[in-house]
Amino acid sequence: SSPLMEQLNFFHDHTLLILIMITVLIAYIMFMLFFNKFTNRYLLHGQTIEIIWTILPAVILMFIAFPSLRLLYLMDEINSPLITLKAIGHQWYWSYEYSNFLNLEFDSYMIPTNELDMNGFRLLDVDNRIILPMNNQIRILVTATDVIHSWTVPSLGVKIDATPGRLNQTNFLINQPGLFFGQCSEICGANHSFMPIVIESIPMNYFIKWISSQMNSL
């Protein structure tokens, strides 16, 4: 659901293809060693083959390392964000502040199962969702007030630690409307499993209407 997650998926597939090729080659060589009956009495050393199997793994590692480094730098890049969202981890809920707007902040608690609507998502839905515009760069600042949490939305390729006394930042872009679910991914106490994250991605004109209604209700 984001260009970054798309690139992570491509990298995963690229690496998996290399691993499959290596596995098949090694399996074939081992199979041939087990089942052939030939021996070479005069084979004492093989410098050529030793050079090949020293250099070849290094070349293969470079094919993995360069795309990996490219992705690492892409994930750290902040590209002129339209909106800054601040997420603050507590035991055991999240609170959010829209830094571009005055006094626009709220707490986000998981909806208990006995209060959930029929079409709700058990252990994933919250009373106040994060509303964000699609197709825009979003910067998120993450911190915590008590213990280490981790703000994670897998479908967007975002995972960032919330550390007390420290402000971490990352950015993402949502390229489609919808609901995106996440959870705290750092064990943070008894109710660690019960502090979900819900992002609602909407078109920009609806986001402006939502912001206007929130500001008017203050």
Side-chain angles (χ1 to χ4, degrees), residues 113-131:
T113 306
N114 59 340
E115 296 175 18
L116 205 58
D117 295 333
M118 285 294 289
N119 60 349
F121 295 91
R122 179 178 170 272
L123 301 183
L124 280 177
D125 236 333
V126 294
D127 54 357
N128 290 311
R129 293 170 174 169
I130 309 161
I131 310 292

Side-chain angles (χ1 to χ4, degrees), residues 9-25:
N9 274 330
F10 288 152
F11 177 66
H12 169 268
D13 296 345
H14 167 76
T15 310
L16 200 62
L17 192 65
I18 293 172
L19 287 175
I20 289 168
M21 287 164 57
I22 293 168
T23 306
V24 168
L25 178 66

Side-chain angles (χ1 to χ4, degrees), residues 177-216:
L179 291 178
F180 305 99
F181 296 94
Q183 288 177 305
C184 175
S185 297
E186 190 72 54
I187 294 173
C188 57
N191 290 335
H192 157 68
S193 308
F194 309 116
M195 46 184 302
I197 300 154
V198 184
I199 295 176
E200 188 173 341
S201 169
I202 57 176
M204 179 52 93
N205 54 335
Y206 289 106
F207 178 75
I208 292 168
K209 287 177 184 175
W210 178 79
I211 285 290
S212 302
S213 67
Q214 293 295 309
M215 300 303 288
N216 291 335

